[in-house]
Amino acid sequence: MATLVEKFFDSKDELTAELSQTLEQSLRDGIKSDGRAVLMVSGGSSPAPAYKHLSTLDLDWQNIDVAMVDERWVEPSHEKSNEAFIKSTLLQNHGRAANFITMKNDAATAEQGTQVCEAAYSALKAPYDVTILGMGPDGHTASLFPHAQGLEHGLTTQQTVCAINAIESEVTGSITERMTLTLNAIANSKVVKLLISGEEKLAVYKQAKAGGDVNDMPLRAVLNHPSINIEVYWAP
């Protein structure tokens, strides 16, 4: 049975402290119980301080798999690459020893690269120990964007990843071609941590939580899923 726990903090520092502690414990528990731990990571400013803190911890990083939640179909050297962000925050210090699974491959398009990406992700331990999600002002999460080409497939398929081509907007920018975890993959997590900051995004979250068409706000598909355990972290 799904659970939804909301954790509201007075500051981003308090959010980071709590997130860092719980991520560390989840990784240690995963290694202890299964021999490996799997951490699904998103980009964005909210998790960055926790990633940097985690990288300094003397964990058994060789038995930790770090994999992307979603990625723009750009080279890792691109300024908008989530992979570059993760490498500059989490995969530093001790964290360099983690096994990193990226989404971007040599295929010309995300659609053409799906099979290779699916094979890499299917090799990971499941359920994943933690999946970290963000949320956009349009109600998207991962790269499950409103009314995107591939959204319906991403919400219904039993596959782990899928290609998405979003509608260009202020939120997506000009890079609309993405690879993302599917709803099925997000659900295949022991816990999902949804990170939100600011009053505007809190209002969007509440709107999504209130119900409505998942095509308008794909986050609703996560919040309404019957088996996802979600912890919502919010700070001003």
Side-chain angles (χ1 to χ4, degrees), residues 118 126 128 144 153-161 181-189 221-222 225 227-228:
E118 180 72 23
Y128 318 129
L144 300 169
H153 179 66
L155 296 179
T156 57
T157 182
Q158 294 303 298
Q159 291 180 307
T160 305
V161 302
L181 289 185
T182 63
L183 178 62
N184 178 64
I186 292 170
N188 203 6
S189 308
V222 177
H225 195 279
S227 64
I228 299 180

Side-chain angles (χ1 to χ4, degrees), residues 71-227:
E71 180 60 283
R72 299 171 179 89
W73 206 250
V74 296
E75 293 303 315
S77 58
H78 195 284
E79 64 178 0
K80 294 293 187 179
S81 166
N82 282 338
E83 177 178 338
F85 170 78
I86 296 301
K87 286 181 173 177
S88 69
T89 53
L90 180 60
L91 303 179
Q92 296 286 322
N93 306 306
H94 293 300
R96 289 178 186 273
N99 178 41
F100 180 58
I101 299 90
T102 184
M103 285 183 152
K104 177 66 171 68
N105 53 50
D106 294 334
T109 67
E111 186 67 43
Q112 292 170 359
T114 302
Q115 188 172 353
V116 170
C117 191
E118 180 72 23
Y121 274 66
S122 295
L124 292 169
K125 179 195 85 169
Y128 318 129
D129 293 285
V130 185
T131 295
I132 298 175
L133 295 180
M135 183 204 72
D138 58 353
H140 84 266
T141 191
S143 277
L144 300 169
F145 284 89
H147 304 284
Q149 180 182 339
L151 175 62
E152 182 178 0
H153 179 66
L155 296 179
T156 57
T157 182
Q158 294 303 298
Q159 291 180 307
T160 305
V161 302
C162 73
I164 287 282
N165 202 332
I167 299 169
E168 185 171 345
S169 67
E170 290 184 10
V171 178
T172 64
S174 61
I175 306 170
T176 59
E177 189 179 0
R178 315 281 182 109
M179 188 76 78
T180 185
L181 289 185
T182 63
L183 178 62
N184 178 64
I186 292 170
N188 203 6
S189 308
K190 294 177 183 176
V191 64
V192 170
K193 294 182 182 285
L194 175 64
L195 310 184
I196 303 170
S197 62
E199 294 294 339
E200 288 185 17
K201 283 196 174 182
L202 180 60
V204 173
Y205 163 71
K206 288 180 177 179
Q207 184 181 354
K209 183 182 170 185
D213 190 342
V214 296
N215 294 294
D216 293 336
M217 301 181 80
L219 177 64
R220 288 171 174 151
V222 177
L223 296 176
N224 296 334
H225 195 279
S227 64

